[in-house]
């Protein structure tokens, strides 16, 4: 979440409202952060599990008791809409250029579903973005990072610029963990991301440029035909 937050912070001048599409709603942590730091932002969170969406509605409501929860995003209102749907199906229905940021953080039993890992899925995300928009995805993998490299290769086949943010132990294949892949049609704020990631409680590196070329060297972009879910986390990976 902190890595995603850095991208949101650097996506536009401080306080400027953004249009954000969250694929994977969960507890709406990032959506609440955007609402707090960028008042007036219009956001849509797509959650595939109806039980999760209902639990969040009851236990972590977005509005004060007695006031209705937003049902659809409206520009300038600062509302967060929640839609129960498959992430890719919802994404493919989004009009072109609708969002300033698309954030992909979808897991089922600790794995990202296969149909959310391919070039075609990434191209759909790119289509939903405004020209200056930023794409970001949470990727989980362990040594030898074959899945992560394929995901990054898929993203780079669609976007002109990209980077990976991850802790050194994950990047060097010493343990299973998360990598955030960010991409855009325009240059990313690499310097700002590098400073912020290095200052995190769990410091991370930003891999871009020639270093990113080396990271994906030899990896083939994932296609719909060969897509597989992300690897099963080892026992205790996130505890």
């Amino acid at each position: 979440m902190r890595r995603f937050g850095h991208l949101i912070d650097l996506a536009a001048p401080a306080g400027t409202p953004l249009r954000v599409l969250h694929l994977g709603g969960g507890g709406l942590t990032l959506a609440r952060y955007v609402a707090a730091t960028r008042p007036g932002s219009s956001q849509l969170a797509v959650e595939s599990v109806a039980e999760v969406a209902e639990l969040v509605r009851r236990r972590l409501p977005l509005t004060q008791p007695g006031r209705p929860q937003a049902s659809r995003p409206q520009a300038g209102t600062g509302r967060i809409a929640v839609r129960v749907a498959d992430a890719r199906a919802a994404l493919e229905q989004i009009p072109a250029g609708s969002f300033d940021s698309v954030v992909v953080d979808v897991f089922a039993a600790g794995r990202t579903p296969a149909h959310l890992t391919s070039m075609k899925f990434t191209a759909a995300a790119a289509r939903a973005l405004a020209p200056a928009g930023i794409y970001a995805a949470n990727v989980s993998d362990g040594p030898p990072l074959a899945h992560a490299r394929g995901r990054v290769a898929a993203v780079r086949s669609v976007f002109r610029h990209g980077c990976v943010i991850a802790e050194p132990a994950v990047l060097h294949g010493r343990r299973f963990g998360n990598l955030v892949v960010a991409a855009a049609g325009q240059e990313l704020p690499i310097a700002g991301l590098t400073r912020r990631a290095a200052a995190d409680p769990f410091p991370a590196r930003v891999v871009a440029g020639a270093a990113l070329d080396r990271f994906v060297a030899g990896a083939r972009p994932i296609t719909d035909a060969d897509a597989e879910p992300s690897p099963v986390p080892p026992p205790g990976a996130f505890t």
Side-chain angles (χ1 to χ4, degrees):
M1 283 300 114
R2 289 185 67 89
R3 320 296 190 214
F4 285 148
H6 297 331
L7 286 162
I8 291 293
D9 288 346
L10 296 169
T16 302
L18 293 176
R19 300 167 300 164
V20 184
L21 173 62
H22 305 266
L23 298 179
L28 304 176
T29 303
L30 186 65
R32 298 171 201 268
Y33 177 76
V34 174
T37 58
R38 296 182 176 276
S41 293
S42 179
Q43 303 185 78
L44 171 61
V46 179
E47 172 56 54
S48 64
V49 182
E51 291 82 357
V52 170
E54 175 60 18
L55 178 65
V56 172
R57 187 191 69 79
R58 288 189 289 106
R59 300 296 297 273
L60 297 169
L62 291 168
T63 56
Q64 296 297 319
R67 302 176 68 179
Q69 188 169 359
S71 60
R72 65 175 63 90
Q74 299 179 17
T77 64
R79 293 184 178 178
I80 302 170
V82 179
R83 181 181 302 170
V84 176
D86 174 78
R88 182 158 171 176
L91 177 63
E92 291 174 345
Q93 295 174 0
I94 298 292
S98 295
F99 290 95
D100 302 305
S101 183
V102 173
V103 179
V104 184
D105 192 15
V106 183
F107 290 88
R111 308 177 75 184
T112 299
H115 68 300
L116 307 182
T117 67
S118 69
M119 288 188 292
K120 191 170 182 180
F121 168 77
T122 308
R127 179 179 172 277
L129 282 169
I134 293 178
Y135 170 87
N138 183 7
V139 178
S140 64
D141 201 5
L145 296 179
H147 175 76
R149 296 177 201 277
R151 293 277 295 275
V152 175
V155 169
R156 295 184 88 201
S157 74
V158 174
F159 290 97
R160 184 176 180 184
H161 300 278
C163 72
V164 170
I165 312 168
E167 294 176 41
V170 176
L171 285 172
H172 297 153
R174 293 197 295 268
R175 68 172 178 82
F176 194 98
N178 294 88
L179 308 91
V180 168
V181 181
Q186 302 182 14
E187 289 202 19
L188 291 163
I190 299 298
L193 286 173
T194 300
R195 289 193 297 271
R196 288 168 181 251
D200 278 344
F202 295 94
R205 286 181 52 205
V206 176
V207 180
L212 191 62
D213 293 339
R214 293 191 293 272
F215 180 83
V216 299
R220 296 178 57 186
I222 298 172
T223 67
D224 277 349
D226 60 23
E228 296 181 352
S230 60
V232 177
F238 300 111
T239 58

